[in-house]
Amino acid sequence: MSVTTLASEVVSLPSATGTEPDTEIVERATALRALIREHAEQGNREGRVVPAVIDALAGQGLLSLTVPGRYGGAETNSRTTVDVLAALAQADGSTGWSAMLLNIGNWFATTWPVRAQDEIWGEDPASRCCVVLAPSAKGRRVEGGWVVSGRWPYASGSYAASHAIMGFLAPEEDGGAGHALAVLHPGEWTIERSWFPIGMRATGSDTVVAEEVFVPDHRVQYFDDLVKGDYATELRDREPRANAAFLPAGTVIFGGIQIGLGRAALEHSLERMKAKGVVGTAYTQTRNSPVHQVAVAQAMSKVDAAELLAHRACRDIDEAALRGEYPAELARARVRHDVGHIVTLVQEAVDALLKAAGSSSFMETSRLARLFQDVGMAGSHVHATPGIAADVYGKLLLGADGPLPLHV
């Protein structure tokens, strides 16, 4: 399938998938904050978001944000998805992260042929897909498809998923191997407990295991085709989201998590610093200390700037999808760089708040210390780290020679 421009079809696309956020859906996420916070510590102990929270998210349609409307999903744009994830992460980073991976797994599945989509959601619209893009397995060609075996670590939200989209190496005739992705159905994969981090403890990013699973051809796509927007779905002329750029849509969501964590750190720090003093100084109240005033102002500005970058990236993705155009490599690289810069801004903001809030904020029981760990852990994901993103964006801006070190 070749990538084509569908600008002539734009007038027929539903307006509900434009570039503005669906505030009603975002409000549903915000309304769950108290419930999410109530269960956050239990989730940290158990290594997964507790079922009561997963059920609440599902009940409000927050785990089917990207499922097509024809299956009863919200079919939201990138802006709505990012704002929902930020609202959830403000209550608990692991909850936001789990919702992020399940929703993007669902959206990735919408690029598959309708036959494969029907197998996922046709009988059960509540089905959910976890995803690991890395080809951490091998496949062998058989008549009608592939037999796949392997282990995929860091499968966030897998405990709450029914299906799994997993990367594998597909041997080619020239002796090489292509990077392919397979949709695994319920009963074809299991989960091995392996997630014991210092931050984002409840994401359930455990290891998916599959042994000798037959995956028919209609459930397999090649990663390079997806990166180029060469999707197998037959509905690109009818569904705007089927035109969204693959990696940018799968990357901007990480910005939403960072923004939510940054907001939570600001919320906690402002409340704390309004009520405490500054030991060993003339300031009996922190709120009257110029040093602290400047610290919170700069932290607020950094989180605000991060949010503006995320919203610009969402607009770029959503506008191109509505036009039926696949963004050029430079535009895709800018989204990747924006997300890296969001990580930098939020990490700087939370670091400053932690230091301004005083030594007690470094205690294990401190919410701010937990947020600091979550921000660092979330910002270490390969699709979020700033350094390589800046390198790629700079190479494209300057027209550097040679291939890029990663896909965008």
Side-chain angles (χ1 to χ4, degrees):
M1 183 184 298
S2 61
V3 180
T4 56
T5 298
L6 306 168
S8 61
E9 302 287 342
V10 170
V11 292
S12 65
L13 298 178
S15 59
T17 54
T19 62
E20 293 303 308
D22 187 321
T23 55
E24 191 274 330
I25 295 178
V26 178
E27 287 169 1
R28 281 188 241 157
T30 303
L32 290 178
R33 280 186 196 159
L35 174 70
I36 292 169
R37 286 171 176 161
E38 177 186 348
H39 293 283
E41 189 51 43
Q42 179 186 349
N44 285 329
R45 292 194 304 270
E46 297 178 1
R48 53 179 283 183
V49 178
V50 301
V53 172
I54 291 294
D55 290 344
L57 296 175
Q60 293 299 316
L62 302 179
L63 298 181
S64 56
L65 296 175
T66 58
V67 174
R70 54 196 153 87
Y71 299 116
E75 200 173 329
T76 57
N77 57 19
S78 293
R79 172 64 188 277
T80 302
T81 302
V82 164
D83 286 357
V84 166
L85 296 176
L88 296 176
Q90 187 169 350
D92 173 53
S94 293
T95 299
W97 189 275
S98 299
M100 174 184 74
L101 266 297
L102 291 168
N103 277 299
I104 201 59
N106 288 343
W107 181 75
F108 285 162
T110 69
T111 69
W112 260 255
V114 171
R115 177 183 176 186
Q117 297 180 47
D118 284 343
E119 291 173 352
I120 297 171
W121 294 297
E123 293 187 7
D124 184 6
S127 293
R128 298 186 283 266
C129 301
C130 63
V131 57
V132 176
L133 295 180
S136 304
K138 294 182 178 180
R140 71 175 188 274
R141 195 74 166 110
V142 297
E143 184 177 354
W146 298 85
V147 172
V148 177
S149 295
R151 301 164 59 81
W152 295 267
Y154 312 129
S156 301
S158 52
Y159 59 89
S162 54
H163 296 70
I165 301 174
M166 300 286 123
F168 72 97
L169 293 175
E172 298 178 340
E173 292 182 359
D174 63 2
H179 180 178
L181 295 171
V183 177
L184 306 182
H185 280 193
E188 296 178 345
W189 55 283
T190 58
I191 302 171
E192 181 180 287
R193 186 84 167 91
S194 58
W195 183 245
F196 305 102
I198 63 168
M200 304 298 281
R201 297 179 184 177
T203 62
S205 302
D206 294 307
T207 299
V208 164
V209 181
E211 297 290 344
E212 292 291 290
V213 175
F214 171 69
V215 184
D217 283 327
H218 71 275
R219 285 201 261 141
V220 173
Q221 289 196 84
Y222 280 88
F223 181 70
D224 285 350
D225 291 337
L226 293 167
V227 169
K228 295 181 293 186
D230 194 2
Y231 307 151
T233 177
E234 304 89 342
L235 300 178
R236 296 189 66 169
D237 61 339
R238 289 187 247 168
E239 296 181 352
R241 298 308 300 161
N243 295 306
F246 189 76
L247 284 179
T251 299
V252 71
I253 52 177
F254 292 93
I257 303 302
Q258 292 288 321
I259 291 162
L261 291 170
R263 287 179 185 164
L266 282 164
E267 178 184 51
H268 176 82
S269 299
L270 290 173
E271 181 180 355
R272 175 179 171 77
M273 282 191 267
K274 287 177 181 178
K276 70 181 289 289
V278 187
V279 177
T281 75
Y283 294 108
T284 58
Q285 294 180 307
T286 301
R287 64 189 180 90
N288 293 324
S289 162
V291 171
H292 293 80
Q293 292 163 357
V294 170
V296 297
Q298 291 179 339
M300 178 69 78
S301 182
K302 288 178 186 291
V303 176
D304 285 347
E307 186 173 46
L308 290 171
L309 279 173
H311 288 169
R312 181 183 72 171
C314 288
R315 187 184 68 244
D316 289 347
I317 295 167
D318 294 337
E319 285 182 347
L322 284 167
R323 292 194 303 267
E325 297 175 355
Y326 205 75
E329 195 171 45
L330 179 62
R332 304 197 312 263
R334 187 172 82 169
V335 172
R336 177 67 181 81
H337 181 261
D338 283 351
V339 173
H341 198 48
I342 288 168
V343 168
T344 297
L345 288 168
V346 174
Q347 287 182 342
E348 290 176 350
V350 175
D351 181 63
L353 290 170
L354 188 66
K355 291 170 180 173
S359 58
S360 62
S361 293
F362 288 85
M363 302 296 287
E364 286 185 356
T365 55
S366 165
R367 173 161 167 74
L368 198 54
R370 175 60 54 80
L371 288 166
F372 180 78
Q373 291 173 314
D374 284 352
V375 165
M377 190 75 194
S380 70
H381 193 281
V382 66
H383 288 292
T385 49
I388 194 73
D391 176 40
V392 169
Y393 191 40
K395 279 179 167 58
L396 289 170
L397 286 170
L398 291 173
D401 298 329
L404 297 177
L406 55 70
H407 292 287
V408 293

